[in-house]
Amino acid sequence: VPFSDVQFQPIAHERIQQALRSGRVPHAYLFAGRPGVGREMMAARLAQLLLCAAPKDVQPPVEAGSGMSSWRDACGQCEDCRLFQGGGHPDFHRIYRTLNKHHPDKLVQKRKALDLSVDVIRHFVLDCVGLSPSRQRAKVFVISESERLSPSAQNAMLKTLEEPPGQSYLIMIATSADELLPTTQSRCHHVQFNGLPGEFVQTALIKRAQIDPDAARFLAELVQGSLGQAMQYARQGLYGSVPALIESIGLAGEDPLAASKLWQEQAKTIAEGAGEKKQVDAEVEDESAGGDEDDGDDAPVGPETRTLREAQLTMLAILSTILRDVQRVSVGHAPAALPRERKIGEWAGAAPREIAKAIRAVATAEFQIELNASAGLIFDSLAITISNTLFATAVVKTR
Ligand SMILES: [Zn+2]
């Protein structure tokens, strides 16, 4: 499980390798970027290296494009590496929301793990961060979904982030630094992770999820660089809902309120599919990440409304992906997500300005869904906008 497994993150690699080379590895890292682009993998690689008894120099892969002639990496053979790879290194701690189920306090266990609570942070991080490592070398804590750390949990961590004791390292994983309190941000060393190239996501989907090239192409376009997200969508068969959603756009032109209704139903279907195998942030199929197997992999964690909101957002992202293809074709480019869909070409006859309005309306709807506004009203209004933009010229023509 070498560093080179983390692909297309040259800047992150460079930052980390420079720190390793200088011998001054920051004790509090913040890995920021969208889920499923390699943040958790990188954190696991770094953790293994910090725990390894005999780190070595390796040649960086050519495609890493770094100017460095060598990288530090774990040996992969010492007892620490073996323990780590087996998922049982005593000095490696994965911290995630649903750890509350393993908390000694029954009341904490019973609570729904909507956020990463101060109880989890106190018991699983702060109470043991100061103890000396079981195997002498280091203690590494990887905190997943740090954007969901409650303010009190973040405040409780401040002192530890400021001055992590001895050989302790904390790696916070977050979607973006801005989602953490400024006091937390300023105490961490930031490393930004980018989206993965679409072609890479597409190829990996075909290979790992064994889906057909059309589905892979669409999903790669949908996720905009997150392989982890694409894998999850592939597993839940999301591509199956695309034909109905293409139809629904046409329906919006004739009967906007019927289209809105259909979207609400589609979102429910997607939520059911997602509920069957909900993986919180499994990242890029990283089974070697060590730690607890039972990592947030239980649906009842959030209330059902959360899953439904997420499904509504996914549904809107699909609409947006379809409309972006319409936009591409309208300005003379080839469609990226749906190369063989006849309707895309038809709708591309609308004025580019109107198509842009429709795409903006989807973005507005996403924003409102995130604010927990009423989905029915949001979808009604979106369908009416799509009808008035995408199909405005069509109506004029038929008169
Ligand atoms: Zn080793």
Side-chain angles (χ1 to χ4, degrees), residues 48-49 51-55 73-82:
Q48 184 177 351
L49 170 61
L51 297 170
C52 173
D73 210 341
C75 76
Q77 278 151 12
C78 69
E79 202 180 334
D80 287 278
C81 280
R82 284 206 303 271

Side-chain angles (χ1 to χ4, degrees), residues 6-133:
V6 182
Q7 291 177 288
F8 301 104
Q9 299 296 351
I11 298 166
H13 273 299
E14 202 131 323
R15 285 277 152 76
I16 291 163
Q17 289 298 332
Q18 273 163 1
L20 289 168
R21 180 173 289 184
S22 73
R24 289 191 304 269
V25 179
H27 285 258
Y29 262 120
L30 170 59
F31 287 2
R34 305 198 26 232
V37 301
R39 304 165 309 164
E40 300 261 2
M41 276 173 89
M42 188 76 101
R45 302 298 174 267
L46 179 56
Q48 184 177 351
L49 170 61
L50 292 169
L51 297 170
C52 173
K56 56 178 184 178
D57 286 325
V58 296
Q59 188 136 29
V62 182
E63 62 272 21
S66 78
M68 308 180 103
S69 56
S70 74
W71 277 3
R72 295 295 281 168
D73 210 341
C75 76
Q77 278 151 12
C78 69
E79 202 180 334
D80 287 278
C81 280
R82 284 206 303 271
L83 282 168
F84 187 91
Q85 285 158 5
H89 198 294
D91 294 319
F92 180 58
H93 304 264
R94 286 195 71 190
I95 310 299
Y96 43 87
R97 272 186 292 143
T98 49
L99 264 183
N100 71 312
K101 298 220 166 67
H102 303 279
H103 194 281
D105 186 337
K106 284 252 164 18
L107 286 172
V108 176
Q109 284 173 25
K110 277 192 197 132
R111 228 181 276 151
K112 280 185 174 168
L114 295 178
D115 57 11
L116 201 39
S117 69
V118 68
D119 303 290
V120 166
I121 292 300
R122 281 226 175 88
H123 184 76
F124 295 98
V125 181
L126 303 178
D127 287 355
C128 55
V129 74
L131 307 175
S132 40

